[in-house]
Structure formats: C-alpha cells, structure tokens
Amino acid sequence: MAEIVQQRIEDRIPELEQLERVGLFTKKEVKSIIKRVTALEYKLHRLIVNKEDFIAYIQYEINVLELIKKRRAHIHYQFKREEIEYPIIHRINSIFKRATNKWKDDVQLWLSHVAFCKKWATKSQISKVFSAMLAIHPDKPALWIMAAKSELEDRNSSESARHLFLRALRFHPNDKKVYQEYFRMELLHCEKLRKQKIQLEQAQMDLVSVKQSKHKTVGSKRVHMLLVVFKTHLLPLSSNLISPLVSSLQTNYTDDSSTWDFMAKRELEAPGAGEELQTAKGRASDINRREERCCQVYEEGVKSLNTEPMWTCYVAFLLERMKRKTNVQELKEKRQERLLGVLQRAHDCSLLKENYYKNWLQILLSSGDAEGAASVAMTATQRYSQSVTMWSLSLQTLMELGSRDIGRCFQDALKHVNPKESLPLWQLQFEWSKASQSAEETERGLLSAVPAVAMEMKECYLDWSYSTGVKTINVITMLFFQENPKMNYLRDYYERVLQEFGTSNEDLWLQYIREELGPLGQPENCGKIHWRAMKFLEGESVERFISKHALLQTGHL
C-alpha cells in the first residue's frame, strides 16, 4: 500500500514544481499539499474504504483547482495549463470512476461526476460518464432525458441526442415525459434549421445543389420523425401544430420518399362510416377503402419519385398490411393482389430491393403458383447475379419445386458469385445431390479451388460417408493430398471414421498407422493405434490386420 501511495505522490511532483516555479503557490503551500494528499491517498487504500473518503479527496482537489483559477486571475498568468490543471482534472475523473465503480447504485455520486465534467472536464468525458451511468441505471427515465439534453446543449449534437432518446424509448415505451422531451428536441432542431435557412437567404448565399438536397432531406426526416413519434404512440398534437408541419412536407419535401410514405399512411386515420363498422364484413370493407386511398397516394409518389426508396416504402406498407390478421377472406385476397402487383411493377422497374424477393416467393409458393415462383426465382438471379443470398433463395425454391434445371442453375450460380463466398451454394448443391442420389454431383464440392470451401465440403462428404459407407478411405486420402494438409484434421477424421467402421475394417487402422509413420505424423503414436486395433477389431479382421501389419513393418505393404 505504501508503495502505491508513494508512486501516486511522485506522479504529482511535475505539476507541483510548475505551481511553485510560475509563482501560483509558495514552497510552503506545496509542502502542505503533499502532506494533505498523502493522508487522503492512504485513506483510499485501506482495507475498508468509505465513500466519504473519496468525496473528501475529490473536494480537496476541486478546491485546489478553484484556488489555482483565482491565483491565475490575480497575477494574470494563463499559461502551462497542460502541465498544471489537466493532470488534476484527470486525477479527479479517475477518483470519481473508482468511486462510482464501487458504489454503482449511488445516483447522486454519478451526477456529481457529471457536474464536475460540465465545469472542468472535456465534453467527450461527459458522454462517457452518462454512458456508464445509463448502463447501470437504464430504469430511470430522468437520467436518459438528462443525458440527451447534455448531448444537445453541451455538445451541440442532435444526432447523439436522438440516439439516446430512441434508446430510452426502448426501455420506457410508455413514458410520456420521454416522448415530450424527444418531441421538444426535434422541434428545437427544426427551428434551428429554419433560422439557418433564413440567415442563408438573407445573406443571399448560393448553395450548390448537393448541399440543398442534403439540407432538405435532413429537414424532411426531422419533421417526419416527430410526427410519426406522436402518431404512433397516440400522444396529442393540436391541429394548429400538425397542420404547418404537414403543409411543410407537402410543399418542400416531395422529393423525399419518407414524405410520401407519411402522407399515404395518414389516409388510414381518415374517419369511416359509422353504420358499416357494426359488422366484421363492414369493418373489413372500411379498412379496404382506407388502404385503397393509401395506395392512391403511393401511386402518386412512384409517378413523381420513381426510385428504390419510394418503391421500398410502398412494398413495406403493403407487406405490413398483409401480415395483419383478418377473418374476412375477401380482404386477405385483395391485400395479396395489391402486393403481388406492386412487387411485379417494382421488379419491372429494376427497383425492387433484394430482401423483398423472399417475400414474393413465399407468397407465390403458399398460394400454389409454382410456375410463377419458378419464374421469379430465375429473374431474381438476373437482377442480383452476384448475390449469394439471392442465388441460395432461388435454388431453394427450385429444389422445393423439383425443377429439372437445378443442376444447370447450380453451375450458373457458381460462375457468377465470388468463389470465396460460394460455400452456401456448395452446401445447397451437396444437399440436393444427396437427395437425388447423384454420387458424381455429391463429390463435386470437394474440388473447389478455395481451400476453406473445399475443407468444409470434405467434412460434409465425410459425415455423409459415415451413414452410407461410400469410399471412406478415399475421402481421407483425398484430404491428405490437399495443399498444406494438417495432421490434426486427419487424426480427427480417422477417429470419427473408426467409430463407425473400426470393428470390421482393418485397412483403416493400417492406413492410420501409415500416416503416423509419414513425414507429418508422430511414429510414437503407432503403438497405441496398434493396441486399439487389436482391441476393437472382431473375427477374421484381427488375423488380417496382424498379417498386413507384419508386411507393413517389413516394408512389403
């Protein structure tokens, strides 16, 4: 303990020398500081420490900082801050960290550290303290709000503030205060963007088109986000507040897909006919009309903005509606009809995202449209010809349909994709070849030019050979003659094969001994293998093993 304390005191000597050299402290004062901090350090290194000792140490260091600040102002000396204040600030942060690690549940201690950081430490340090505190106390909404406000006000980072609010909502999805503060933050940022725009216009600054586009997109997403937050969670917005925001979207941000997405979904909230809502069929009819109105807005959107994000919004909306449960068959069929039509049109425009092809194929297969599913499977690989995921999905579909072209499709897939990423395709082909009982196709994956793929396929082939007894020794020989063979792998394969065939196949044991006698093996293992062979082999296999082993030892085998 004494050595640690002494080391910490010695670490302070450079800053204390600077204090004395520049005239901020006298020699007597420096000695007093050393005496005081030595006593405080010893208290922190006792077997049983008290929180009050940490607080006292921190307070003493802060008092030293305050005194240095006053002395600087008095003698008008503003240099050497890196050598004087920064080490003290770093030390105080370290003591706070030790204290909060020991007394994690003391929120006030955490907040004291935050307060110190705001006054003395760097802005990045505040974020670190809040991050550590929220990891321990995620159940306190007030701390999330405080952290987000700090990011916005102290660091001027609205992105970090939003990230914290979104994380807070995952922990507290029903906390109204969090939503209100989130909404307030977004409004403040929108107001900031508005003022910036006015200032730019007043200064008659000509922005390049890239900057204009970026500025409008950011503004659109801000307005869209705060509207969605309140609409999704049923928090009240007055018409006086929401109308200008909606008007701003319609006027200024029609080149953003999120604008059209928001405007389309608003049609779901339109009032319905009261009489129809009394029956299930009437309610389904009302929902269908609302969804039709949404589709009309989306149709305007894709005409005005024929882009992948716009089609993605349209498809995502229809998928979400189709997943909703209903007992009315007519509504189910209408939703599926709409979705299939939009998927086909987005594909025809070459603007359908890759992941939506899976949904498309699932719908076609579930509805019994095998011909349509096969057609989509083939055209999808033309659109994303280098995507392993797309080829895998299409090949799985063709396998399920029992297509005759599956072999050719496998070869086409392997020609188009990166060989280093081709393992999933080889594995699919292996499964298909086993099912079709094609031995030649089953062995094809063993010849891959990529070592990692070849090794994985050889292991699959070996597993398959256990259950079929097909060319077991040939597989191991093939493994051995690969480039840069690894004896550990070979031993593992031999052990696994011998578990299946070790009682009747003496050649396996002899082959295993021969490998250990080779340049990569360990000859001292041969005795153990021979003993195990004599123990495991049964019947005539024992005599054949003894004869062949004798020939091996004399060099005649």
Side-chain angles (χ1 to χ4, degrees), residues 362-379:
Q362 286 174 342
I363 295 169
L364 291 172
L365 289 172
S366 63
S367 61
D369 188 357
E371 184 178 349
S375 175
V376 170
M378 297 301 293
T379 55

Side-chain angles (χ1 to χ4, degrees), residues 406-412 414-415 422 425-434 438-450 453-458 460-461 464 471 478:
I406 189 71
R408 178 179 58 81
C409 290
F410 271 120
Q411 297 310 309
D412 289 343
L414 293 170
K415 289 177 184 177
S422 64
L425 301 180
W426 285 111
Q427 290 172 329
L428 267 179
Q429 192 224 31
F430 185 77
E431 294 300 323
W432 168 73
S433 62
K434 286 196 303 181
S438 173
E440 181 181 352
E441 292 292 337
T442 306
E443 296 175 6
R444 189 184 298 274
L446 303 175
L447 306 176
S448 171
V450 181
V453 173
M455 177 58 69
E456 185 70 25
M457 295 312 299
K458 286 169 185 175
C460 291
Y461 187 86
W464 172 64
K471 303 178 183 178
M478 193 183 308

